[in-house]
Amino acid sequence: MRIKLTLSYDGTAYCGWQVQPNGVSVQEVVEKAIEKATGERVRVTGSGRTDSGVHAEGQVAHFDTESSVPADKFYKAINVHLPADVKILKSEAVTDDFHACNKAKKKTYRYALYLSDVDLPLKDRYAVKIDKLPDLSLVQKVASTLEGEHDFKAFCASGSGAKTTVRTVYKIAIEQKQNDILFCVTGNGFLYNMVRIMVGTLLDVGYGKLTENDVKEMLNTGNRKKGGKTLPAKGLCLINVEY
Amino acid sequence: MRIKLTLSYDGTAYCGWQVQPNGVSVQEVVEKAIEKATGERVRVTGSGRTDSGVHAEGQVAHFDTESSVPADKFYKAINVHLPADVKILKSEAVTDDFHACNKAKKKTYRYALYLSDVDLPLKDRYAVKIDKLPDLSLVQKVASTLEGEHDFKAFCASGSGAKTTVRTVYKIAIEQKQNDILFCVTGNGFLYNMVRIMVGTLLDVGYGKLTENDVKEMLNTGNRKKGGKTLPAKGLCLINVEY
Protein backbone atom coordinates (compact mmCIF):
# COMPACT_ATOMS: atom_id res chain seq x y z
CA MET A 1 0.00 0.00 0.00
CA ARG A 2 1.27 3.46 -0.91
CA ILE A 3 0.69 6.17 1.70
CA LYS A 4 0.70 9.90 1.04
CA LEU A 5 1.77 12.03 4.00
CA THR A 6 1.21 15.75 4.53
CA LEU A 7 3.62 17.06 7.11
CA SER A 8 4.78 20.22 8.85
CA TYR A 9 8.15 20.99 10.39
CA ASP A 10 10.13 23.70 12.07
CA GLY A 11 13.32 23.45 10.01
CA THR A 12 15.56 25.31 12.48
CA ALA A 13 17.33 22.19 13.77
CA TYR A 14 17.53 20.30 10.45
CA CYS A 15 19.94 20.19 7.53
CA GLY A 16 16.88 20.23 5.27
CA TRP A 17 14.46 17.61 3.98
CA GLN A 18 16.90 15.28 2.32
CA VAL A 19 19.29 12.84 4.01
CA GLN A 20 22.78 14.38 4.09
CA PRO A 21 26.15 13.06 5.25
CA ASN A 22 26.33 15.82 7.90
CA GLY A 23 23.42 16.92 10.03
CA VAL A 24 20.02 15.46 10.76
CA SER A 25 17.43 15.61 7.96
CA VAL A 26 13.65 15.66 8.29
CA GLN A 27 13.49 12.69 5.90
CA GLU A 28 15.54 10.43 8.15
CA VAL A 29 13.60 11.49 11.26
CA VAL A 30 10.35 10.52 9.51
CA GLU A 31 11.83 7.23 8.22
CA LYS A 32 12.99 6.30 11.74
CA ALA A 33 9.57 7.12 13.20
CA ILE A 34 7.89 4.89 10.59
CA GLU A 35 10.33 2.10 11.44
CA LYS A 36 9.43 2.45 15.12
CA ALA A 37 5.71 2.45 14.31
CA THR A 38 5.72 -0.48 11.83
CA GLY A 39 9.04 -2.32 12.13
CA GLU A 40 9.62 -1.63 8.43
CA ARG A 41 12.62 0.20 7.00
CA VAL A 42 11.13 2.37 4.31
CA ARG A 43 12.30 5.11 2.01
CA VAL A 44 10.14 8.24 2.24
CA THR A 45 10.09 10.32 -0.95
CA GLY A 46 9.36 14.02 -0.55
CA SER A 47 7.86 16.45 -3.07
CA GLY A 48 11.31 17.99 -3.26
CA ARG A 49 14.12 19.11 -1.03
CA THR A 50 13.74 21.95 1.33
CA ASP A 51 17.08 23.54 2.25
CA SER A 52 18.71 23.61 5.65
CA GLY A 53 16.65 25.76 8.03
CA VAL A 54 13.60 26.07 5.75
CA HIS A 55 10.22 25.35 7.36
CA ALA A 56 7.17 23.52 6.02
CA GLU A 57 3.48 23.94 6.73
CA GLY A 58 2.43 21.35 4.12
CA GLN A 59 5.30 19.26 2.71
CA VAL A 60 4.09 16.09 0.94
CA ALA A 61 5.82 12.72 0.86
CA HIS A 62 4.99 9.08 0.10
CA PHE A 63 6.17 5.63 1.11
CA ASP A 64 5.16 2.01 0.61
CA THR A 65 4.17 -0.25 3.47
CA GLU A 66 2.87 -3.75 4.18
CA SER A 67 1.55 -2.59 7.55
CA SER A 68 -2.05 -3.27 8.53
CA VAL A 69 -2.44 0.14 10.17
CA PRO A 70 -5.36 1.88 8.37
CA ALA A 71 -3.98 4.55 6.01
CA ASP A 72 -5.93 7.42 7.57
CA LYS A 73 -4.75 6.49 11.08
CA PHE A 74 -1.09 6.15 10.09
CA TYR A 75 -0.24 9.75 11.00
CA LYS A 76 -1.10 9.14 14.65
CA ALA A 77 1.08 6.02 14.83
CA ILE A 78 4.02 7.90 13.31
CA ASN A 79 3.56 11.12 15.32
CA VAL A 80 4.09 9.24 18.59
CA HIS A 81 7.68 8.64 17.49
CA LEU A 82 8.37 12.11 16.05
CA PRO A 83 9.97 15.05 17.88
CA ALA A 84 7.87 18.18 18.54
CA ASP A 85 9.35 20.00 15.54
CA VAL A 86 8.17 17.46 12.93
CA LYS A 87 4.58 16.21 12.74
CA ILE A 88 2.43 14.39 10.17
CA LEU A 89 -0.84 16.28 9.63
CA LYS A 90 -2.57 13.72 7.44
CA SER A 91 -2.05 10.25 5.97
CA GLU A 92 -4.07 8.72 3.15
CA ALA A 93 -3.97 5.70 0.84
CA VAL A 94 -3.01 6.52 -2.77
CA THR A 95 -2.63 4.42 -5.89
CA ASP A 96 0.82 3.04 -6.77
CA ASP A 97 1.27 5.59 -9.55
CA PHE A 98 1.18 8.49 -7.07
CA HIS A 99 4.64 9.99 -6.68
CA ALA A 100 5.21 12.91 -4.27
CA CYS A 101 7.95 14.43 -6.43
CA ASN A 102 7.23 13.44 -10.05
CA LYS A 103 3.49 14.09 -9.88
CA ALA A 104 3.67 17.46 -8.10
CA LYS A 105 1.95 20.12 -10.24
CA LYS A 106 2.13 23.26 -8.11
CA LYS A 107 4.02 24.34 -5.03
CA THR A 108 3.49 27.42 -2.91
CA TYR A 109 6.19 28.93 -0.75
CA ARG A 110 5.81 31.85 1.63
CA TYR A 111 8.68 34.17 2.46
CA ALA A 112 8.13 36.20 5.64
CA LEU A 113 9.76 39.54 6.46
CA TYR A 114 9.08 41.88 9.38
CA LEU A 115 9.75 45.56 9.68
CA SER A 116 11.64 46.56 12.84
CA ASP A 117 14.81 48.35 13.87
CA VAL A 118 15.50 45.59 16.44
CA ASP A 119 15.58 41.81 15.97
CA LEU A 120 12.31 40.62 17.53
CA PRO A 121 12.73 37.39 19.53
CA LEU A 122 9.09 36.33 18.96
CA LYS A 123 9.27 36.80 15.16
CA ASP A 124 12.85 35.96 14.35
CA ARG A 125 12.50 32.19 14.20
CA TYR A 126 10.14 32.27 11.21
CA ALA A 127 10.80 35.60 9.52
CA VAL A 128 13.61 37.95 8.54
CA LYS A 129 13.96 41.52 9.76
CA ILE A 130 14.07 44.48 7.39
CA ASP A 131 14.66 47.92 8.84
CA LYS A 132 12.93 50.00 6.22
CA LEU A 133 9.76 49.48 4.22
CA PRO A 134 10.34 48.86 0.49
CA ASP A 135 7.99 50.42 -2.09
CA LEU A 136 5.56 47.49 -2.15
CA SER A 137 3.45 48.68 -5.06
CA LEU A 138 6.62 48.83 -7.18
CA VAL A 139 7.67 45.42 -5.87
CA GLN A 140 4.28 43.96 -6.83
CA LYS A 141 4.49 45.49 -10.31
CA VAL A 142 7.97 44.12 -10.99
CA ALA A 143 7.04 40.76 -9.41
CA SER A 144 4.51 40.32 -12.22
CA THR A 145 7.46 40.40 -14.67
CA LEU A 146 8.59 37.15 -13.07
CA GLU A 147 5.20 35.47 -13.45
CA GLY A 148 4.83 33.06 -16.37
CA GLU A 149 7.24 30.61 -17.98
CA HIS A 150 10.83 31.85 -17.94
CA ASP A 151 14.40 30.62 -17.77
CA PHE A 152 15.15 31.31 -14.11
CA LYS A 153 18.88 30.56 -14.39
CA ALA A 154 19.68 33.97 -12.86
CA PHE A 155 17.54 33.02 -9.84
CA CYS A 156 19.34 29.77 -9.15
CA ALA A 157 22.31 29.21 -6.80
CA SER A 158 25.28 27.40 -8.29
CA GLY A 159 25.52 23.72 -7.38
CA SER A 160 22.01 22.92 -8.57
CA GLY A 161 21.86 19.75 -10.64
CA ALA A 162 18.64 20.75 -12.42
CA LYS A 163 18.42 19.57 -16.05
CA THR A 164 16.59 22.70 -17.14
CA THR A 165 16.27 26.08 -15.47
CA VAL A 166 12.94 26.83 -17.16
CA ARG A 167 10.07 27.03 -14.67
CA THR A 168 6.58 28.54 -14.58
CA VAL A 169 5.70 30.94 -11.78
CA TYR A 170 1.91 31.18 -11.59
CA LYS A 171 1.64 33.92 -9.02
CA ILE A 172 3.62 36.16 -6.70
CA ALA A 173 1.32 37.72 -4.10
CA ILE A 174 2.66 40.30 -1.68
CA GLU A 175 0.75 41.14 1.46
CA GLN A 176 1.45 43.59 4.25
CA LYS A 177 -0.22 43.04 7.62
CA GLN A 178 0.99 45.78 9.95
CA ASN A 179 4.74 45.13 10.24
CA ASP A 180 4.67 41.70 8.59
CA ILE A 181 5.35 41.46 4.87
CA LEU A 182 4.61 38.15 3.20
CA PHE A 183 5.58 36.99 -0.30
CA CYS A 184 3.56 33.99 -1.51
CA VAL A 185 5.04 32.40 -4.62
CA THR A 186 3.28 29.63 -6.53
CA GLY A 187 4.99 27.76 -9.36
CA ASN A 188 5.27 24.39 -11.07
CA GLY A 189 8.65 23.88 -9.42
CA PHE A 190 11.54 25.84 -8.00
CA LEU A 191 15.30 25.87 -8.53
CA TYR A 192 17.87 25.77 -5.74
CA ASN A 193 17.42 28.96 -3.62
CA MET A 194 15.06 30.38 -6.26
CA VAL A 195 12.45 31.91 -3.93
CA ARG A 196 15.12 33.34 -1.62
CA ILE A 197 16.91 34.99 -4.59
CA MET A 198 13.62 36.24 -6.10
CA VAL A 199 12.52 37.90 -2.86
CA GLY A 200 16.04 39.31 -2.30
CA THR A 201 15.99 40.78 -5.80
CA LEU A 202 12.47 42.18 -5.44
CA LEU A 203 13.44 43.81 -2.14
CA ASP A 204 16.30 45.57 -3.94
CA VAL A 205 13.75 46.79 -6.48
CA GLY A 206 11.60 48.12 -3.62
CA TYR A 207 14.63 49.97 -2.23
CA GLY A 208 15.49 51.48 -5.62
CA LYS A 209 18.75 49.52 -5.97
CA LEU A 210 17.48 47.52 -8.96
CA THR A 211 14.98 48.42 -11.69
CA GLU A 212 12.38 46.49 -13.64
CA ASN A 213 14.86 46.45 -16.54
CA ASP A 214 17.52 44.83 -14.36
CA VAL A 215 15.06 42.05 -13.52
CA LYS A 216 14.16 41.60 -17.21
CA GLU A 217 17.87 41.47 -18.01
CA MET A 218 18.33 38.74 -15.40
CA LEU A 219 15.64 36.68 -17.15
CA ASN A 220 17.20 37.35 -20.57
CA THR A 221 20.87 36.81 -19.70
CA GLY A 222 20.68 34.28 -16.86
CA ASN A 223 23.21 36.36 -14.95
CA ARG A 224 22.87 35.63 -11.21
CA LYS A 225 25.30 38.43 -10.37
CA LYS A 226 22.80 41.09 -11.46
CA GLY A 227 20.32 40.05 -8.73
CA GLY A 228 19.84 40.74 -5.05
CA LYS A 229 21.21 38.58 -2.30
CA THR A 230 19.91 35.15 -1.28
CA LEU A 231 17.79 35.84 1.80
CA PRO A 232 18.14 33.64 4.92
CA ALA A 233 16.47 30.20 5.05
CA LYS A 234 14.46 30.88 8.21
CA GLY A 235 12.03 33.24 6.39
CA LEU A 236 11.01 30.52 3.93
CA CYS A 237 8.18 28.05 4.42
CA LEU A 238 6.77 25.44 2.02
CA ILE A 239 3.02 26.04 2.32
CA ASN A 240 1.54 23.32 0.12
CA VAL A 241 2.00 21.01 -2.83
CA GLU A 242 -0.78 20.36 -5.31
CA TYR A 243 -1.19 17.24 -7.49
CA MET B 1 20.45 58.29 35.50
CA ARG B 2 17.50 55.90 35.61
CA ILE B 3 16.76 54.05 32.36
CA LYS B 4 13.45 52.42 31.47
CA LEU B 5 13.75 49.41 29.17
CA THR B 6 11.01 47.80 27.09
CA LEU B 7 12.03 44.29 26.12
CA SER B 8 10.84 41.17 24.36
CA TYR B 9 11.90 37.58 24.90
CA ASP B 10 11.19 34.05 23.82
CA GLY B 11 10.92 32.44 27.26
CA THR B 12 11.42 28.84 26.07
CA ALA B 13 15.00 28.53 27.30
CA TYR B 14 14.61 30.53 30.52
CA CYS B 15 13.56 29.80 34.10
CA GLY B 16 11.51 33.01 33.95
CA TRP B 17 12.26 36.68 34.45
CA GLN B 18 13.69 36.54 37.95
CA VAL B 19 17.14 35.27 38.99
CA GLN B 20 16.77 31.74 40.39
CA PRO B 21 19.25 29.34 41.97
CA ASN B 22 18.64 26.85 39.15
CA GLY B 23 18.35 27.78 35.49
CA VAL B 24 19.14 30.91 33.54
CA SER B 25 16.80 33.89 34.02
CA VAL B 26 16.10 36.71 31.59
CA GLN B 27 16.99 39.20 34.32
CA GLU B 28 20.56 37.89 34.70
CA VAL B 29 21.07 37.74 30.93
CA VAL B 30 20.09 41.42 30.69
CA GLU B 31 22.24 42.38 33.70
CA LYS B 32 25.27 40.64 32.15
CA ALA B 33 24.70 42.37 28.81
CA ILE B 34 24.55 45.77 30.55
CA GLU B 35 27.79 44.93 32.37
CA LYS B 36 29.45 44.11 29.04
CA ALA B 37 28.13 47.32 27.50
CA THR B 38 28.98 49.69 30.38
CA GLY B 39 31.35 47.90 32.74
CA GLU B 40 28.80 48.47 35.53
CA ARG B 41 27.24 45.74 37.63
CA VAL B 42 23.63 46.81 37.93
CA ARG B 43 20.42 45.36 39.26
CA VAL B 44 17.61 45.39 36.68
CA THR B 45 14.13 45.57 38.21
CA GLY B 46 11.28 44.12 36.13
CA SER B 47 7.59 45.05 36.20
CA GLY B 48 7.05 41.64 37.76
CA ARG B 49 8.11 38.05 37.36
CA THR B 50 7.17 36.05 34.35
CA ASP B 51 7.23 32.32 35.04
CA SER B 52 9.51 29.75 33.48
CA GLY B 53 8.74 29.41 29.76
CA VAL B 54 6.47 32.48 29.56
CA HIS B 55 7.21 34.89 26.68
CA ALA B 56 7.17 38.70 26.58
CA GLU B 57 6.41 41.12 23.79
CA GLY B 58 6.67 44.17 26.04
CA GLN B 59 8.15 43.52 29.49
CA VAL B 60 9.33 46.70 31.23
CA ALA B 61 12.33 47.06 33.53
CA HIS B 62 14.53 49.80 34.95
CA PHE B 63 18.09 50.23 36.18
CA ASP B 64 20.41 53.04 37.31
CA THR B 65 23.59 53.88 35.49
CA GLU B 66 26.45 56.38 35.50
CA SER B 67 27.18 55.61 31.86
CA SER B 68 27.48 58.41 29.31
CA VAL B 69 25.66 56.39 26.62
CA PRO B 70 22.59 58.48 25.61
CA ALA B 71 19.46 56.92 27.13
CA ASP B 72 17.66 56.46 23.81
CA LYS B 73 20.69 54.70 22.29
CA PHE B 74 21.22 52.35 25.24
CA TYR B 75 19.12 49.56 23.74
CA LYS B 76 21.53 49.18 20.82
CA ALA B 77 24.57 48.96 23.09
CA ILE B 78 22.88 46.28 25.22
CA ASN B 79 21.43 44.29 22.30
CA VAL B 80 24.92 43.61 20.91
CA HIS B 81 25.56 41.49 24.02
CA LEU B 82 22.17 39.76 24.21
CA PRO B 83 21.29 36.37 22.70
CA ALA B 84 18.74 36.21 19.84
CA ASP B 85 15.92 35.23 22.21
CA VAL B 86 16.13 38.40 24.37
CA LYS B 87 16.19 41.90 22.89
CA ILE B 88 15.62 45.43 24.19
CA LEU B 89 13.08 47.25 22.00
CA LYS B 90 13.43 50.70 23.53
CA SER B 91 15.42 52.57 26.18
CA GLU B 92 14.52 55.95 27.63
CA ALA B 93 15.56 58.23 30.48
CA VAL B 94 13.06 58.42 33.36
CA THR B 95 12.98 60.32 36.61
CA ASP B 96 14.32 58.64 39.74
CA ASP B 97 10.82 58.03 41.09
CA PHE B 98 9.98 55.73 38.18
CA HIS B 99 9.82 52.11 39.34
CA ALA B 100 9.06 49.32 36.85
CA CYS B 101 7.24 47.22 39.43
CA ASN B 102 5.75 49.61 42.01
CA LYS B 103 4.50 52.16 39.48
CA ALA B 104 2.92 49.67 37.05
CA LYS B 105 -0.79 50.49 36.64
CA LYS B 106 -1.98 47.98 34.04
CA LYS B 107 -0.60 44.84 32.49
CA THR B 108 -1.90 42.93 29.51
CA TYR B 109 -1.21 39.26 28.95
CA ARG B 110 -2.21 37.21 25.90
CA TYR B 111 -2.89 33.50 26.12
CA ALA B 112 -2.76 31.74 22.73
CA LEU B 113 -4.52 28.48 21.84
CA TYR B 114 -4.82 26.77 18.46
CA LEU B 115 -7.38 24.28 17.27
CA SER B 116 -5.91 21.15 15.71
CA ASP B 117 -6.00 17.38 16.12
CA VAL B 118 -2.19 17.28 15.69
CA ASP B 119 0.52 19.28 17.46
CA LEU B 120 1.61 21.87 14.88
CA PRO B 121 5.39 22.44 14.85
CA LEU B 122 5.05 26.01 13.55
CA LYS B 123 2.53 27.04 16.24
CA ASP B 124 3.54 24.95 19.21
CA ARG B 125 6.33 27.16 20.49
CA TYR B 126 4.00 30.07 21.30
CA ALA B 127 0.56 28.51 21.67
CA VAL B 128 -1.20 25.50 23.15
CA LYS B 129 -3.21 22.98 21.15
CA ILE B 130 -6.88 22.30 21.84
CA ASP B 131 -8.59 19.57 19.85
CA LYS B 132 -12.12 20.87 19.99
CA LEU B 133 -13.60 24.34 19.79
CA PRO B 134 -15.14 25.57 23.06
CA ASP B 135 -18.39 27.57 23.01
CA LEU B 136 -16.70 30.96 22.73
CA SER B 137 -19.81 33.09 23.20
CA LEU B 138 -20.43 31.31 26.51
CA VAL B 139 -16.75 31.72 27.41
CA GLN B 140 -16.95 35.46 26.70
CA LYS B 141 -20.12 35.79 28.79
CA VAL B 142 -18.64 34.01 31.80
CA ALA B 143 -15.31 35.83 31.35
CA SER B 144 -17.17 39.07 32.11
CA THR B 145 -17.98 37.63 35.57
CA LEU B 146 -14.24 37.78 36.26
CA GLU B 147 -13.92 41.41 35.19
CA GLY B 148 -13.83 43.98 37.98
CA GLU B 149 -12.29 43.92 41.45
CA HIS B 150 -12.40 40.47 43.05
CA ASP B 151 -10.54 38.24 45.44
CA PHE B 152 -8.77 35.95 42.94
CA LYS B 153 -7.51 33.51 45.59
CA ALA B 154 -9.09 30.60 43.68
CA PHE B 155 -7.09 31.65 40.61
CA CYS B 156 -3.71 31.60 42.33
CA ALA B 157 -1.26 28.72 42.54
CA SER B 158 -0.01 27.85 46.00
CA GLY B 159 3.45 29.15 46.81
CA SER B 160 2.57 32.73 45.99
CA GLY B 161 3.83 35.21 48.57
CA ALA B 162 1.26 37.87 47.64
CA LYS B 163 0.03 39.97 50.57
CA THR B 164 -3.45 40.25 49.16
CA THR B 165 -5.21 38.19 46.51
CA VAL B 166 -7.55 41.05 45.54
CA ARG B 167 -6.91 42.28 42.00
CA THR B 168 -8.84 44.22 39.36
CA VAL B 169 -9.29 42.69 35.94
CA TYR B 170 -10.24 45.47 33.52
CA LYS B 171 -10.96 43.37 30.48
CA ILE B 172 -10.91 39.83 29.11
CA ALA B 173 -11.15 39.91 25.30
CA ILE B 174 -11.47 36.66 23.38
CA GLU B 175 -10.75 36.60 19.68
CA GLN B 176 -10.88 33.77 17.15
CA LYS B 177 -8.87 34.14 13.92
CA GLN B 178 -9.40 30.95 11.94
CA ASN B 179 -7.85 28.23 14.13
CA ASP B 180 -6.16 30.61 16.55
CA ILE B 181 -7.95 31.57 19.74
CA LEU B 182 -6.50 34.42 21.75
CA PHE B 183 -7.40 35.52 25.27
CA CYS B 184 -6.21 39.05 26.11
CA VAL B 185 -6.43 39.83 29.80
CA THR B 186 -5.77 43.31 31.20
CA GLY B 187 -5.54 43.93 34.93
CA ASN B 188 -3.86 46.04 37.59
CA GLY B 189 -1.73 43.05 38.53
CA PHE B 190 -1.78 39.27 38.45
CA LEU B 191 -1.24 36.51 41.00
CA TYR B 192 1.03 33.50 40.48
CA ASN B 193 -0.34 31.50 37.50
CA MET B 194 -3.53 33.62 37.54
CA VAL B 195 -3.96 34.02 33.76
CA ARG B 196 -3.13 30.36 33.10
CA ILE B 197 -5.73 29.24 35.67
CA MET B 198 -8.33 31.75 34.42
CA VAL B 199 -8.02 30.58 30.82
CA GLY B 200 -7.98 26.91 31.90
CA THR B 201 -11.18 27.50 33.90
CA LEU B 202 -12.88 29.43 31.08
CA LEU B 203 -12.02 26.64 28.63
CA ASP B 204 -13.77 24.17 30.94
CA VAL B 205 -16.79 26.49 30.88
CA GLY B 206 -16.68 26.44 27.07
CA TYR B 207 -16.61 22.64 27.12
CA GLY B 208 -19.56 22.46 29.52
CA LYS B 209 -17.47 21.01 32.37
CA LEU B 210 -17.93 24.09 34.55
CA THR B 211 -20.78 26.61 34.78
CA GLU B 212 -21.00 30.33 35.41
CA ASN B 213 -22.09 29.47 38.95
CA ASP B 214 -18.95 27.40 39.50
CA VAL B 215 -16.87 30.42 38.49
CA LYS B 216 -18.85 32.69 40.82
CA GLU B 217 -18.37 30.15 43.60
CA MET B 218 -14.62 30.20 42.96
CA LEU B 219 -14.62 33.97 43.44
CA ASN B 220 -16.77 33.67 46.59
CA THR B 221 -15.02 30.77 48.29
CA GLY B 222 -11.43 31.15 47.04
CA ASN B 223 -11.36 27.41 46.35
CA ARG B 224 -8.71 26.67 43.69
CA LYS B 225 -9.85 23.05 43.46
CA LYS B 226 -13.13 24.07 41.81
CA GLY B 227 -11.31 25.53 38.79
CA GLY B 228 -9.83 24.21 35.57
CA LYS B 229 -6.24 23.23 35.20
CA THR B 230 -3.26 25.56 34.95
CA LEU B 231 -2.49 25.76 31.23
CA PRO B 232 1.11 25.44 29.99
CA ALA B 233 3.49 28.42 30.20
CA LYS B 234 4.35 28.50 26.49
CA GLY B 235 0.88 29.88 25.53
CA LEU B 236 1.35 32.95 27.73
CA CYS B 237 2.92 36.22 26.65
CA LEU B 238 3.25 39.53 28.53
CA ILE B 239 2.10 42.06 25.94
CA ASN B 240 2.62 45.37 27.68
CA VAL B 241 2.81 47.25 30.94
CA GLU B 242 1.27 50.68 31.39
CA TYR B 243 2.35 53.36 33.88
Side-chain angles (χ1 to χ4, degrees), chain A residues 142 146 153-157 192-211 214-219 223-232:
Chain A
V142 176
L146 295 172
K153 194 179 165 207
F155 296 87
C156 178
Y192 186 40
N193 284 353
M194 181 168 151
V195 177
R196 292 158 62 186
I197 297 170
M198 283 172 72
V199 178
T201 300
L202 290 170
L203 266 189
D204 276 356
V205 169
Y207 292 139
K209 291 185 207 166
L210 290 173
T211 65
D214 293 324
V215 173
K216 285 181 178 165
E217 201 184 316
M218 286 175 74
L219 290 177
N223 186 359
R224 166 73 188 95
K225 287 175 188 159
K226 279 277 175 190
K229 64 181 175 186
T230 305
L231 295 184

Side-chain angles (χ1 to χ4, degrees), chain B:
Chain B
M1 178 172 59
R2 184 157 287 192
I3 306 275
K4 176 187 174 189
L5 301 175
T6 305
L7 64 157
S8 175
Y9 43 88
D10 177 328
T12 309
Y14 296 95
C15 67
W17 167 261
Q18 185 161 292
V19 173
Q20 301 280 348
N22 301 314
V24 179
S25 67
V26 178
Q27 187 185 19
E28 71 190 87
V29 164
V30 174
E31 288 173 354
K32 280 179 188 162
I34 294 173
E35 189 177 348
K36 283 186 186 157
T38 66
E40 295 173 319
R41 302 194 80 166
V42 299
R43 169 89 329 180
V44 174
T45 302
S47 74
R49 307 179 187 193
T50 54
D51 295 339
S52 178
V54 171
H55 312 292
E57 212 173 277
Q59 168 71 294
V60 173
H62 78 263
F63 69 100
D64 294 319
T65 177
E66 315 269 296
S67 165
S68 61
V69 177
D72 63 342
K73 299 281 185 275
F74 233 112
Y75 73 103
K76 292 189 181 180
I78 305 172
N79 279 342
V80 172
H81 303 287
L82 283 172
D85 53 7
V86 180
K87 291 291 170 197
I88 316 290
L89 309 181
K90 194 178 174 185
S91 54
E92 53 199 308
V94 285
T95 52
D96 283 351
D97 63 344
F98 177 83
H99 192 284
C101 179
N102 299 343
K103 294 290 176 81
K105 288 208 171 105
K106 267 191 195 180
K107 287 183 192 177
T108 297
Y109 279 93
R110 180 181 63 217
Y111 199 92
L113 302 164
Y114 68 93
L115 184 66
S116 171
D117 72 330
V118 178
D119 292 324
L120 297 180
L122 297 177
K123 298 230 184 213
D124 215 52
R125 196 172 178 91
Y126 305 119
V128 168
K129 187 192 75 161
I130 52 174
D131 53 15
K132 59 179 197 282
L133 189 67
D135 178 343
L136 290 179
S137 59
L138 181 60
V139 170
Q140 183 71 72
K141 179 175 175 285
V142 176
S144 66
T145 306
L146 295 172
E147 292 174 350
E149 186 182 85
H150 299 286
D151 185 342
F152 285 98
K153 193 178 166 205
F155 297 86
C156 178
S158 61
S160 156
K163 281 177 221 158
T164 164
T165 47
V166 174
R167 295 288 184 279
T168 300
V169 169
Y170 299 113
K171 193 169 175 59
I172 304 177
I174 299 153
E175 186 186 9
Q176 184 181 6
K177 287 181 186 171
Q178 292 168 328
N179 290 324
D180 297 313
I181 296 142
L182 304 174
F183 286 71
C184 278
V185 186
T186 303
N188 65 350
F190 292 92
L191 301 164
Y192 188 39
N193 285 352
M194 180 167 151
V195 178
R196 292 158 62 185
I197 297 169
M198 283 173 72
V199 178
T201 299
L202 289 170
L203 267 189
D204 277 357
V205 169
Y207 292 140
K209 291 184 206 164
L210 290 172
T211 65
E212 183 165 10
N213 276 339
D214 293 324
V215 173
K216 285 181 178 163
E217 203 185 315
M218 286 176 74
L219 290 176
N220 292 334
T221 63
N223 186 359
R224 166 73 189 94
K225 287 177 187 158
K226 279 276 173 192
K229 64 181 174 187
T230 305
L231 295 185
K234 66 179 177 180
L236 189 63
C237 186
L238 174 57
I239 300 301
N240 65 45
V241 186
E242 292 170 70
Y243 292 89

Side-chain angles (χ1 to χ4, degrees), chain A residues 46-79:
Chain A
S47 73
R49 308 179 186 190
T50 53
D51 295 338
S52 177
V54 172
H55 312 292
E57 211 172 278
Q59 168 70 293
V60 174
H62 78 264
F63 69 101
D64 295 319
T65 178
E66 315 269 295
S67 164
S68 60
V69 176
D72 63 342
K73 299 280 186 276
F74 233 112
Y75 74 102
K76 292 189 180 178
I78 305 172
N79 279 342

Side-chain angles (χ1 to χ4, degrees), chain A residues 5 20 27 40 53 57 73 75 79 92 103-104 109 111 138 145 158 171 177 207 210 237:
Chain A
L5 301 175
Q20 301 280 349
Q27 187 185 20
E40 295 174 320
E57 211 172 278
K73 299 280 186 276
Y75 74 102
N79 279 342
E92 51 198 310
K103 294 289 176 83
Y109 280 93
Y111 199 91
L138 181 61
T145 306
S158 59
K171 195 171 173 59
K177 287 180 186 171
Y207 292 139
L210 290 173
C237 185

